[in-house]
Amino acid sequence: MTVAAAATTVEAIRGGDIRAAARLMRDLDDRRPEALAALKQLFPHTGRAYIAGITGNPGAGKSTVVDALIAHYRAAGERVGVVCVDPTSPFSGGAILGDRIRMQRHALDDGVFIRSVATRGHLGGLSRSTFDIASVLDAMGYQRVLIETVGVGQDEVDVMKAAHTTVVVTVPGLGDDIQAIKAGLLEVADVLVVNKADREGADRTERDLLHMLELRAGDRKDVAIVRTIATRGIAEGSGIAELAAAIEAHRARAWSGEGAERRALARAGAHLGELVRALLADRAARAVSDHGGVEGLAAGIVAHRSDPWTVAEEIANSLTAPSPSRS
Ligand SMILES: Nc1nc2c(ncn2[C@@H]2O[C@H](COP(=O)(O)OP(=O)(O)OP(=O)(O)O)[C@@H](O)[C@H]2O)c(=O)[nH]1
Ligand SMILES: [Mg+2]
């Protein structure tokens, strides 16, 4: 795609062409270089969406919470984009289908756009494509972007760096095993949700969470804890309005004034780091194959014809930008 073709794509997307947007997202998944040209041109039109990340243990009710939040924002007249990160974990293999079915009632609403990302095996790819897709949704004019991911691995936790507010969903009954909420997850939480509050043990879970927060120093103290019964949607007492209010409170606290600049820098820095790592990983893979492939190189090392440090250095020193003919 030439610059002109990218401009056409950008124009279509900004004009609300859903199919052009879906095509661009697919091309981004396939890492087509021309898709990047379109992203670059979309960039000036981004920066308006408020992105909330929803993470937590498998089965905690993240999709149900997202579904209820969509209903809440739609009722307020806001347009909502959703990115569901396909979990690579063995815990919830069927999640994508579940998410689709759960959120299907919004499928016919043209104020809602739901996109699943599956980036199995891409080095740092999960977090990069989440940023990219969120950017496209932002440029499309969705004021709200919700990212759902299972908080099982570092990769999934990193995805939350794309979010302005991170919501960690927990459930009652973790009891003494509250450690099951990965320490890393609690670390990134701006809002904690005790979902399935219709079940026994919500009091205890809330107490345990409060206790864990108190053990933490500094600004983690003002993390809000909200109880929800997400299966009740936006009905009175579901807690979803309170969750939305907690997200707004965090937004007001964190994204205005001095702190906002620091956060914006951290967020842009995380994104840039991802991009650089991903580009270098691509080039490294190409350089390894140009040097005879990993098996051939390993054979030389096993036979002691060469040492691994020298080989690694030679490959790293040979990294170059791809020639135009190869992209
Ligand atoms: N009792 C009760 N069940 C709930 C509540 N919220 C969600 N569930 C149920 O919990 C199950 C899992 O919900 P999901 O929304 O798919 O959970 P998830 O965290 O997105 O799951 P994965 O994406 O697979 O990790 C479903 O059967 C939901 O109906 C709730 O507030 N109360
Ligand atoms: Mg889910």
Side-chain angles (χ1 to χ4, degrees):
M1 196 192 301
T2 60
V3 172
T8 309
T9 299
V10 166
E11 215 171 292
I13 288 173
R14 296 210 56 237
D17 185 337
I18 300 294
R19 289 174 62 184
R23 209 178 312 119
L24 173 60
M25 289 177 188
R26 204 174 45 242
D27 288 349
L28 286 168
D29 272 353
D30 296 341
R31 302 206 273 178
R32 298 174 73 93
E34 62 267 29
L36 285 183
L39 260 194
K40 290 173 190 173
Q41 292 189 32
L42 279 174
F43 186 72
H45 307 290
T46 63
R48 281 185 287 264
Y50 197 79
I51 306 175
I54 317 291
T55 187
N57 301 66
K62 298 175 296 295
S63 299
T64 316
V65 167
V66 167
D67 183 69
L69 281 174
I70 295 173
H72 176 89
Y73 292 130
R74 289 303 291 144
E78 294 188 81
R79 303 175 72 229
V80 189
V82 180
V83 188
C84 293
V85 178
D86 180 9
T88 47
S89 85
F91 297 114
S92 46
I96 280 293
L97 192 60
D99 288 341
R100 288 247 174 83
I101 290 165
R102 206 154 289 123
M103 297 173 195
Q104 207 163 39
R105 64 197 182 97
H106 299 293
L108 294 176
D109 179 350
D110 63 10
V112 179
F113 187 103
I114 298 170
R115 170 76 194 186
S116 300
V117 208
T119 40
R120 251 168 262 266
H122 284 183
L123 204 103
L126 209 54
S127 147
R128 194 203 56 220
S129 51
T130 307
F131 257 103
D132 291 351
I133 288 167
S135 295
V136 178
L137 292 170
D138 186 351
M140 288 167 82
Y142 292 99
Q143 295 110 315
R144 294 283 167 181
V145 173
L146 302 172
I147 301 172
E148 175 190 339
T149 182
V150 172
V152 284
Q154 190 54 48
D155 244 21
E156 283 87 355
V157 172
D158 280 347
V159 166
M160 289 297 124
K161 288 179 183 157
H164 294 106
T165 298
T166 298
V167 177
V168 174
V169 181
T170 66
V171 289
L174 294 174
D176 293 332
D177 291 331
I178 196 121
Q179 300 296 348
I181 304 167
K182 302 242 166 151
L185 268 190
L186 204 63
E187 213 62 67
V188 297
D190 300 309
V191 177
L192 280 168
V193 168
V194 180
N195 187 41
K196 308 197 186 182
D198 51 329
R199 290 196 183 163
E200 221 167 293
D203 286 328
R204 163 102 198 258
T205 305
E206 192 170 334
R207 256 196 330 271
D208 289 348
L209 288 172
L210 263 174
H211 183 64
M212 286 181 78
L213 288 175
E214 277 160 10
L215 294 177
R216 292 183 193 285
D219 65 351
R220 308 314 296 166
K221 279 200 300 264
D222 54 11
V223 173
I225 302 181
V226 184
R227 288 193 200 190
T228 59
I229 305 172
T231 37
R232 294 195 190 154
I234 53 174
E236 183 80 23
S238 70
I240 292 302
E242 289 77 4
L243 170 56
I247 293 171
E248 288 317 288
H250 176 257
R251 178 184 197 166
R253 210 165 54 233
W255 290 95
S256 59
E258 266 173 48
E261 197 175 333
R262 186 173 41 84
R263 278 179 179 264
L265 290 174
R267 188 166 171 272
H271 186 205
L272 184 60
E274 277 312 327
L275 293 177
V276 172
R277 268 192 296 281
L279 277 179
L280 287 179
D282 281 350
R283 287 184 196 176
R286 201 158 32 229
V288 165
S289 97
D290 287 350
H291 279 74
V294 76
E295 274 180 29
L297 293 166
I301 292 165
V302 168
H304 280 73
R305 280 193 302 275
S306 51
D307 72 83
W309 298 275
T310 305
V311 175
E313 247 166 33
E314 276 170 14
I315 290 168
N317 290 341
S318 76
L319 296 188
T320 50
S323 60
S325 64
R326 303 189 66 153
S327 56

